[in-house]
Amino acid sequence: MTVAWFIVLPIGVMLSLARSGLALSTQLAFLCVNALGLLLGIVYNDKTPDLYENNIHHKLGWALTWIVLAQTAMGFIKFCADARKADQGEVDEQAAYIPISTEAMSEHQRILGISIPDQYRFSHDSGQGTEPDSSGNNSLSSMEENADKDFHRTDHQSGYEDRIDIRERGVTGNSAFNKFLQRVPLATLKRVMRVVNFLLSMIDRSILLLGFVAITSGIVVYGGIFKGSNIFNGLAHFIKGGIFFWYGLLTLGRWMGCFAEYGWAWNVKPPVGVVSPRKAAVPSAEFVESFVIFFYGSTNVFLEHLAAWGGAWTAQDLEHVSISIMFLGGGLCGMLVESRRVRDFLNTTILISPANRGFHSDKEPWDPPRTYGFSMNPIPGLIILLLGLMMSSHHQASMVSTMVHKQWGTLLVGFSLARAVTYILIYLSPPSSFLPSRPPSEIIASFCLISGGLVFMASNKNTVSAIESYDLNAMFIFTVTMGITALLMAWSIVVFAVKEAPTILALRRDPRLLKLPPYLSASCLVVGVVWLLLLPLNEYSRQTYISENALLPGQVHTYFGGSEQNIFNAYKHEVQALADKEQDEIAGKLGEIFSSAGLKVARQKYAYEVAGITHGGENVYAIIHAPRGDATEAIVLVAAWRNTGDELNQSGVALVLTLARYFKRWSLWSKDIIVLITADSKAGPQAWVDAYHDEHSSSSVDPLPLKSGALQGVVVVDNALDHRFESLHIVYDGINGQLPNLDLLNTAVAIASGQMGIGVTLQRMWKHGDSYKERLQTMLRGMASQGLGHASGPHSSFIPYHIDAITLQAVGDGWQDEMAMGRCVESTFRSLNNLLEHFHQSFFFYLLMQANRFVSIGTYLPSAMLVAVNFSITAIALWIQSGRPPAPKKVAFTNTEKATEPEMELVEHDGMRAVIPKASLAIAERQLFLPVTFVIAIHFLGTIPLYIFNNPTHASLSLTLLIFTLFNLLLPTLLATILSHTYPLTPNHTLLIRCLSLLLLGMFLATLATLNFSLAFLIGLLSAPLSFFYLPSPHDNEPPNPVFGVLASVLLQGLSPPVVVYAACWFWGVGVETVLEEAAFGWRVSGLWTQVVVWCVWWPAWLIGAVVVNPVL
């Protein structure tokens, strides 16, 4: 509802007032958005009790909805009636021609690049005297003179376009309603349209005010205020505050230039002949202000005692009545000051003085002063100044209420002072033009009125009581109101500017407009990259912190150690003895160890077939039931038999076995503890967590015989060292770039570095000096890992199920032993045991630049969005360019040749007509079928490499990529050749193909940035050249430059996805077959969708760009 009434409706009203062809579509959009809001409101009301019975908001909302529906219906009727008039070519024979000067026509020709001979006829010219040697060019000169005088009658070109569009395209078509209109007599239709236009005008000028009433009543109902006798206090503040609010908007509109035809925009009032007599008769803005003040005072005198009707009058009532009397008298005085007749009466003494009857001096002393040409009436400002001073010292029942009243009183004083500055400026330099002068002080005046009105509305008793009950102060209302006022003023200026939409739409024919998009796109790319590079600075990043207070990290005393060292050594010896054994024997031995500790044990077998390689094994796990729990929640301790480096996790497995035996002895657990030992670091954890949630494939994974409750957190232990370690390396990247809740990571860091004194590293940055370079390197490494989306450890398999998990990896050669690592795990599990609900307080989207410094999504997301926006900007520019007609060929004429006179067009708009070049009104038809088909087909073509690289054998992976890379070199030329021989592309086709491709790419990347920021940013940078490969537009008659096509093709081939894969493998020193096998494994086992983005989003966009710039096309 907020979107409908605050955003869509004001735009629709302004477009309707401007009589734009977009008004009807905007009103339909409002009805759709409003209908969605009504549907949600009906559902909400049905599910909740009515806490504000018999409120006016519901009734008013439905009434306004029906009014807007009627407005849309009448707008449609008017649209169809205008279409009928255009189809019949109806023109008003008495209508005047639109005066267009030759200077304006010359500028029009220069902008559009139209070459028109100097001598051409206007529609009212007889044709005589237009020969080159004739001097009878009176018609043209007279039009120049009229154009200098009658500026108000110059119309916008898009107005003609709207009429021509209706006539040429037949918008209403052969609908039944249109056929009905054809049968209605034209005279009857005119009478009906007078009524329709009157009703539309009334609705356009009142619907925003009614919408304001509906919104404020909705706020009242939502807040549950103004019940009982408080309704009178609430209405008084809302009505009076609303008056000042709209007074401020009116003041802002006057500064913007609205009502200039009435002389209200701080300009000279246009006389009759420049404007219609009706507009010339409208009184001054100061007279209207004085009348409103007078009307307010005369009516409010009888309302000040309404809340205590029948009771005794208090001193406060008398104060309010005195204010009303001041308004009554001040408004009357202001209207008298504005009266010209009163001014003439006051001048009568000097004008009819007998002593001056024989005075025949120069006429200049008898001329009216310059100040007579403009109204400078200080009375309205004075009345509001006095009101502000009174309210600033108005005593209230509480300090907060007194302060709030002082705030809006001071703001009203600010308005009066700003208006005084305006009058001083006007007195020193009275306006001399019909155009708005826009004194800067009026911006301040409007701000003070709008904000003062809002604070006035918020100063009612119920709102003040709510502020006091929540232990807030008056400054809260003031700061919030100032922010709202600033946003409202900015949006109001935009909405007022929408009224000039015809002028804005006319810019689409300016060829200079199409020179901006490359610079805008480049600016977006540069700003996006610079934005990312600024993130490691202290000003843009933050220290990490714990959001979930229940975790209490490092607040418990740990007891793991002592005799547990001997148990660990024994288990480690057992693990080393099983290093070369078969999987069944290993699983059996681990099960025996768990059973000997008194735990329930279960085993699970799995086998995945990927790229001709079988990833199989057997998981062993045990459950420690919580003595104080009900088996509804569990936390998991994991150790892989072999870690991600395919090393025997000897110390890690032994430590997990020791901790399982240790945890069994404690009775403080409120959650079950599952101890899991997987056969490897990727397939095993994935098989177990899939089976735990019954999402496994029964053909490759066995079900779990034992289960517990919902998994709340996972900690993986990875220690393949046979000696003491230096620090803990925390691995946190999940599949598809998903991350665990930052609170879990911060808890582990706080315990390790704070409680245990163990160093913590991230992203394989073994030595981190907290410099900018090291922060940036850590962040970029994290982005690379997140962008690839692969499993970085056993923990990665849990994150897609919204289970927060991390891996603690022992690295380096130091003095920390396994017992210290065990105490870290114990303290972490004690913190997880304190959780009352799932992790949710902290961030799930972040970038880490060291263990205790991060940036959140709100800070880093704009960089990826800017990169994605650059494609959308280019797509919009291409769309505009594709709708422009081809420019005529420029032919050089000799002295003996005569230029051919261009074909002219008679256009009629709002009762005025003109003859202008027909070529300037031409609209190029966009041939969309072939471009849409081609773009969709290329995107579906991406499923072929997606299938090929996810279903090969291990031995053929490298060869498959090599063959595809070679074929990819030839594919753009092959497709370009096929298109050039079967469906030759026109320049319009080329523009639309690039437009649709870049539009899809920008949309995909903008959406992807919210899910996997790093992948969207990297692909956006690699695809950036696609925004800057412009072919000659359809207005250029020169053939494409083949050298440009060759250079662009070479550059694009260097940025193709297969080449980028080779370059990345070379940079990181990884085999191509390893990368492809990892991707195929992630696709088959982990649900990795990085390949989908690469082959179905990036590669199609690259291929389309390579085809379009190919010199063969």
Side-chain angles (χ1 to χ4, degrees):
M1 301 298 281
T2 303
V3 173
W5 289 90
F6 269 106
I7 298 178
V8 183
L9 181 63
I11 294 177
V13 170
M14 291 302 166
L15 290 176
S16 180
L17 290 173
R19 297 297 180 256
S20 171
L22 299 174
L24 183 60
S25 58
T26 308
Q27 291 165 356
L28 291 174
F30 167 79
L31 290 177
C32 293
V33 178
N34 188 64
L36 178 61
L38 286 175
L39 178 62
L40 296 177
I42 292 172
V43 174
Y44 176 80
N45 291 335
D46 184 64
K47 299 295 183 180
T48 56
D50 188 0
L51 301 179
Y52 208 122
E53 296 181 358
N54 199 29
N55 65 80
I56 193 62
H57 175 68
H58 290 170
K59 305 178 182 66
L60 183 60
W62 282 109
L64 291 181
T65 300
W66 283 107
I67 291 175
V68 177
L69 188 62
Q71 178 194 27
T72 306
M74 288 186 290
F76 179 74
I77 294 173
K78 184 179 185 299
F79 185 79
C80 295
D82 290 342
R84 176 188 171 183
K85 294 178 183 178
D87 290 337
Q88 294 181 350
E90 179 202 4
V91 293
D92 187 357
E93 295 298 333
Q94 302 300 322
Y97 292 105
I98 302 175
I100 302 176
S101 66
T102 54
E103 290 82 355
M105 289 297 297
S106 300
E107 179 67 10
H108 176 74
Q109 298 162 19
R110 182 188 66 78
I111 292 176
L112 297 181
I114 302 172
S115 178
I116 302 177
D118 292 337
Q119 286 79 20
Y120 52 86
R121 288 199 306 271
F122 289 85
S123 59
H124 67 285
D125 202 332
S126 64
Q128 299 179 359
T130 58
E131 291 78 6
D133 296 334
S134 174
S135 60
N137 296 330
N138 296 330
S139 61
L140 184 59
S141 61
S142 63
M143 290 198 73
E144 292 180 13
E145 183 178 355
N146 290 337
D148 294 335
K149 296 178 180 178
D150 299 343
F151 76 96
H152 65 286
R153 299 180 66 182
T154 301
D155 212 329
H156 300 298
Q157 177 180 324
S158 65
Y160 315 143
E161 295 171 5
D162 291 344
R163 184 60 55 90
I164 295 299
D165 286 349
I166 295 173
R167 185 167 58 213
E168 292 183 354
R169 299 184 181 183
V171 178
T172 54
N174 295 319
S175 64
F177 184 77
N178 189 42
K179 294 178 180 179
F180 170 76
L181 284 179
Q182 296 292 339
R183 292 193 297 267
V184 176
L186 197 58
T188 303
L189 183 61
K190 285 185 176 181
R191 286 193 292 269
V192 172
M193 290 313 302
R194 290 194 190 99
V195 177
V196 169
N197 288 332
F198 174 76
L199 294 176
L200 281 176
S201 179
M202 293 296 295
I203 294 176
D204 287 340
R205 286 162 174 78
S206 61
I207 190 63
L208 289 180
L209 182 59
L210 295 174
F212 175 78
V213 176
I215 292 171
T216 52
S217 63
I219 294 174
V220 171
V221 173
Y222 180 80
I225 56 178
F226 300 170
K227 293 184 177 180
S229 59
N230 291 326
I231 183 65
F232 300 106
N233 179 266
L235 283 176
H237 283 80
F238 267 54
I239 293 174
K240 297 174 184 178
I243 291 174
F244 284 112
F245 173 82
W246 284 95
Y247 187 12
L249 290 179
L250 177 65
T251 303
L252 179 62
R254 292 180 62 189
W255 179 88
M256 282 282 295
C258 299
F259 319 110
E261 64 272 25
Y262 304 131
W264 290 11
W266 309 103
N267 61 322
V268 174
K269 185 174 183 178
V272 177
V274 178
V275 296
S276 64
R278 180 180 59 85
K279 293 181 178 180
V282 173
S284 65
E286 283 71 14
F287 182 90
V288 175
E289 289 177 347
S290 300
F291 173 76
V292 172
I293 291 174
F294 169 78
F295 181 77
Y296 171 83
S298 61
T299 56
N300 211 53
V301 168
F302 307 100
L303 300 178
E304 291 296 346
H305 191 60
L306 191 61
W309 192 259
W313 283 68
T314 63
Q316 192 176 37
D317 292 336
L318 294 176
E319 289 178 8
H320 291 170
V321 170
S322 300
I323 294 174
S324 299
I325 295 176
M326 179 188 70
F327 268 68
L328 189 151
L332 182 59
C333 180
M335 289 189 291
L336 293 174
V337 169
E338 285 300 303
S339 173
R340 291 186 179 183
R341 183 164 297 179
V342 171
R343 183 191 305 167
D344 293 340
F345 287 161
L346 297 177
N347 291 336
T348 302
T349 304
I350 189 65
L351 291 175
I352 65 174
S353 173
N356 294 328
R357 291 176 182 176
F359 189 77
H360 300 290
S361 182
D362 191 3
K363 184 181 178 182
E364 182 177 354
W366 296 100
D367 290 337
R370 290 189 307 163
T371 55
Y372 276 25
F374 189 82
S375 176
M376 287 181 289
N377 190 345
I379 298 299
L382 176 63
I383 296 300
I384 295 178
L385 171 68
L386 295 174
L387 177 65
L389 293 175
M390 294 174 184
M391 290 299 103
S392 297
S393 57
H394 194 30
H395 177 71
Q396 298 294 319
S398 66
M399 179 59 68
V400 172
S401 181
T402 302
M403 291 295 295
V404 172
H405 278 74
K406 183 177 181 180
Q407 288 171 1
W408 66 261
T410 304
L411 288 169
L412 295 186
V413 172
F415 158 76
S416 302
L417 297 178
R419 178 58 62 86
V421 172
T422 299
Y423 284 140
I424 292 173
L425 296 175
I426 295 298
Y427 185 83
L428 295 176
S429 180
S432 58
S433 172
F434 296 149
L435 301 178
S437 60
R438 296 188 178 92
S441 52
E442 285 303 294
I443 283 283
I444 301 175
S446 62
F447 185 93
C448 291
L449 282 175
I450 295 173
S451 55
L454 292 176
V455 177
F456 195 162
M457 296 170 67
S459 63
N460 61 83
K461 291 181 179 179
N462 289 147
T463 303
V464 171
S465 299
I467 292 294
E468 293 173 339
S469 64
Y470 285 102
D471 199 22
L472 300 174
N473 52 35
M475 190 53 62
F476 174 80
I477 294 179
F478 188 78
T479 53
V480 171
T481 304
M482 296 305 104
I484 294 174
T485 302
L487 288 176
L488 278 176
M489 288 185 66
W491 178 238
S492 299
I493 293 174
V494 171
V495 171
F496 283 138
V498 167
K499 191 177 180 182
E500 301 301 324
T503 303
I504 298 172
L505 292 176
L507 291 175
R508 71 178 185 263
R509 295 189 177 275
D510 190 340
R512 294 171 296 182
L513 183 66
L514 296 178
K515 297 180 181 179
L516 294 177
Y519 299 100
L520 293 177
S521 296
S523 300
C524 289
L525 285 171
V526 171
V527 173
V529 173
V530 171
W531 191 300
L532 186 74
L533 296 178
L534 292 175
L535 295 179
L537 299 176
N538 289 332
E539 291 79 4
Y540 301 98
S541 57
R542 291 188 281 172
Q543 290 281 346
T544 57
Y545 57 92
I546 304 293
S547 299
E548 181 56 72
N549 295 325
L551 287 169
L552 300 174
Q555 300 299 310
V556 298
H557 182 73
T558 56
Y559 299 95
F560 185 77
S563 61
E564 307 300 331
Q565 178 72 59
N566 299 327
I567 299 174
F568 167 80
N569 292 334
Y571 284 153
K572 186 176 180 180
H573 180 73
E574 294 274 3
V575 171
Q576 290 173 341
L578 295 170
D580 299 325
K581 302 297 182 180
E582 295 294 331
Q583 191 64 45
D584 288 341
E585 187 176 350
I586 295 173
K589 184 61 177 178
L590 293 175
E592 291 177 5
I593 294 175
F594 282 133
S595 298
S596 63
L599 305 178
K600 293 183 179 180
V601 186
R603 296 161 65 174
Q604 178 204 28
K605 291 184 178 182
Y606 62 91
Y608 295 105
E609 186 75 23
V610 179
I613 300 176
T614 301
H615 300 267
E618 189 171 6
N619 297 324
V620 182
Y621 66 100
I623 298 179
I624 303 173
H625 290 290
R628 300 183 178 183
D630 54 359
T632 58
E633 295 178 335
I635 45 182
V636 186
L637 179 62
V638 183
W641 185 259
R642 290 195 171 273
N643 62 14
T644 52
D646 201 28
E647 300 173 308
L648 178 64
N649 188 16
Q650 51 184 346
S651 298
V653 173
L655 182 59
V656 166
L657 294 173
T658 307
L659 285 170
R661 183 177 180 274
Y662 174 76
F663 288 160
K664 181 66 172 66
R665 302 203 310 263
W666 284 85
S667 61
L668 52 83
W669 305 112
S670 62
K671 296 176 176 60
D672 291 353
I673 297 177
I674 302 176
V675 183
L676 171 64
I677 299 179
T678 61
D680 60 12
S681 295
K682 295 180 181 179
Q686 191 67 51
W688 189 87
V689 72
D690 286 345
Y692 194 90
H693 295 89
D694 295 324
E695 296 291 334
H696 63 289
S697 173
S698 58
S699 61
S700 55
V701 178
D702 291 344
L704 297 182
L706 287 179
K707 290 184 181 181
S708 181
L711 305 183
Q712 301 297 305
V714 178
V715 176
V716 181
V717 178
D718 182 1
N719 187 356
L721 305 176
D722 196 21
H723 54 75
R724 291 174 178 263
F725 65 93
E726 180 183 7
S727 59
L728 286 179
H729 179 238
I730 299 181
V731 187
Y732 56 90
D733 306 292
I735 295 171
N736 293 322
Q738 298 180 76
L739 301 174
N741 190 273
L742 190 57
D743 268 348
L744 177 59
L745 189 67
N746 293 338
T747 299
V749 172
I751 291 172
S753 60
Q755 185 180 12
M756 304 300 169
I758 303 175
V760 176
T761 60
L762 304 174
Q763 302 298 340
R764 300 184 177 275
M765 292 289 294
W766 312 128
K767 300 295 182 181
H768 202 300
D770 198 25
S771 64
Y772 170 83
K773 178 181 178 181
E774 289 164 324
R775 287 185 182 183
L776 180 62
Q777 190 174 357
T778 304
M779 183 184 72
L780 293 179
R781 287 188 177 188
M783 289 180 59
S785 178
Q786 184 186 26
L788 293 175
H790 67 294
S792 57
H795 68 281
S796 300
S797 301
F798 293 87
I799 296 179
Y801 287 95
H802 304 288
I803 303 169
D804 301 289
I806 57 173
T807 293
L808 302 180
Q809 186 180 32
V811 294
D813 188 0
W815 59 275
Q816 302 288 350
D817 62 358
E818 295 83 359
M819 296 299 102
M821 190 174 188
R823 285 191 291 273
C824 286
V825 176
E826 177 192 358
S827 185
T828 302
F829 267 63
R830 294 280 294 274
S831 293
L832 293 176
N833 189 58
N834 294 334
L835 277 178
L836 301 177
E837 51 187 334
H838 200 78
F839 279 108
H840 68 282
Q841 292 279 4
S842 192
F843 298 95
F844 287 95
F845 299 92
Y846 50 86
L847 293 176
L848 288 168
M849 37 212 64
Q850 65 176 30
N852 59 355
R853 198 157 199 91
F854 80 106
V855 288
S856 64
I857 185 172
T859 305
Y860 67 71
L861 185 61
S863 58
M865 287 298 182
L866 286 170
V867 173
V869 162
N870 101 86
F871 301 109
S872 301
I873 291 174
T874 305
I876 294 172
L878 292 171
W879 178 263
I880 295 174
Q881 191 174 8
S882 67
R884 299 179 62 199
K889 293 184 179 180
K890 297 180 180 179
V891 180
F893 298 100
T894 63
N895 294 333
T896 59
E897 293 177 329
K898 184 177 180 180
T900 303
E901 183 175 345
E903 186 178 358
M904 308 298 286
E905 174 77 14
L906 174 66
V907 294
E908 187 266 339
H909 182 71
D910 285 347
M912 296 180 287
R913 289 172 289 164
V915 179
I916 62 177
K918 189 173 183 180
S920 65
L921 297 178
I923 298 174
E925 181 181 359
R926 294 183 176 94
Q927 302 169 357
L928 288 172
F929 179 75
L930 181 58
V932 170
T933 303
F934 181 74
V935 171
I936 294 176
I938 293 297
H939 277 80
F940 274 106
L941 191 65
T943 58
I944 295 178
L946 180 65
Y947 177 82
I948 290 175
F949 289 108
N950 287 326
N951 295 276
T953 61
H954 179 75
S956 63
L957 284 172
S958 300
L959 181 61
T960 303
L961 182 61
L962 179 60
I963 294 174
F964 182 81
T965 304
L966 296 176
F967 176 73
N968 201 53
L969 291 173
L970 303 175
L971 185 58
T973 304
L974 179 62
L975 289 176
T977 303
I978 294 174
L979 285 174
S980 62
H981 286 83
T982 56
Y983 301 100
L985 297 181
T986 64
N988 189 273
H989 284 149
T990 303
L991 290 174
L992 289 173
I993 288 174
R994 292 191 57 235
C995 168
L996 296 175
S997 175
L998 293 178
L999 183 63
L1000 287 176
L1001 181 62
M1003 291 170 55
F1004 281 134
L1005 294 183
T1007 305
L1008 179 63
T1010 61
L1011 303 174
N1012 191 335
F1013 160 82
S1014 304
L1015 182 59
F1017 187 84
L1018 295 174
I1019 291 182
L1021 287 184
L1022 293 172
S1023 304
L1026 297 175
S1027 293
F1028 303 99
F1029 289 150
Y1030 273 88
L1031 281 181
S1033 73
H1035 312 281
D1036 299 330
N1037 298 298
E1038 300 177 0
N1041 189 345
V1043 177
F1044 170 81
V1046 172
L1047 294 177
S1049 298
V1050 171
L1051 178 59
L1052 282 180
Q1053 287 293 345
L1055 293 175
S1056 65
V1059 174
V1060 171
V1061 171
Y1062 275 114
C1065 292
W1066 170 81
F1067 180 79
W1068 276 299
V1070 182
V1072 174
E1073 63 280 354
T1074 302
V1075 173
L1076 296 179
E1077 181 186 349
E1078 180 74 18
F1081 178 86
W1083 173 263
R1084 282 297 188 89
V1085 178
S1086 306
L1088 182 67
W1089 40 257
T1090 303
Q1091 299 97 309
V1092 178
V1093 178
V1094 171
W1095 298 119
C1096 296
V1097 177
W1098 177 21
W1099 183 73
W1102 171 87
L1103 182 58
I1104 292 172
V1107 170
V1108 168
V1109 302
N1110 196 285
V1112 175
L1113 192 61

